[in-house]
Amino acid sequence: MKLELYKDAALTRDLPEHRLRRGDIVKLVDHHVAPDNTEGYSIEVFNAIGDTIAVTSVPAAALETLREDEVFSARTL
């Protein structure tokens, strides 16, 4: 699944090492392929006021596109 760079996506799994949860919104900043041909993305995560709180890489399977039947919500880290 190829996602468009610089767009928002949602996590499909928790990333406890970054205090992120399934459903959190991330920005896709780079696409890469590992030596074993696994696709992945570098992501940047922002808090509600726009400050960067995490930059990391995840496999493509950890992301999904946003849908029109979804709404944003806020939660405390």
Side-chain angles (χ1 to χ4, degrees):
M1 156 182 71
K2 181 83 172 189
L3 301 170
E4 192 173 344
L5 293 182
Y6 310 112
K7 297 288 184 177
D8 292 333
L11 291 174
T12 61
R13 61 179 77 160
D14 293 344
L15 300 177
E17 64 275 19
H18 296 287
R19 299 185 304 167
L20 300 173
R21 293 186 191 160
R22 181 180 191 274
D24 285 349
I25 306 302
V26 303
K27 182 74 71 180
L28 305 175
V29 295
D30 197 15
H31 174 258
H32 41 82
V33 179
D36 66 356
N37 288 326
T38 303
E39 286 191 69
Y41 289 87
S42 294
I43 59 171
E44 187 169 2
V45 186
F46 301 92
N47 65 14
I49 60 172
D51 298 325
T52 299
I53 59 170
V55 177
T56 191
S57 296
V58 295
L63 301 165
E64 63 185 1
T65 58
L66 300 179
R67 301 184 321 259
E68 66 181 48
D69 65 340
E70 297 174 315
V71 297
F72 291 108
S73 66
R75 67 175 181 84
T76 302
L77 285 177

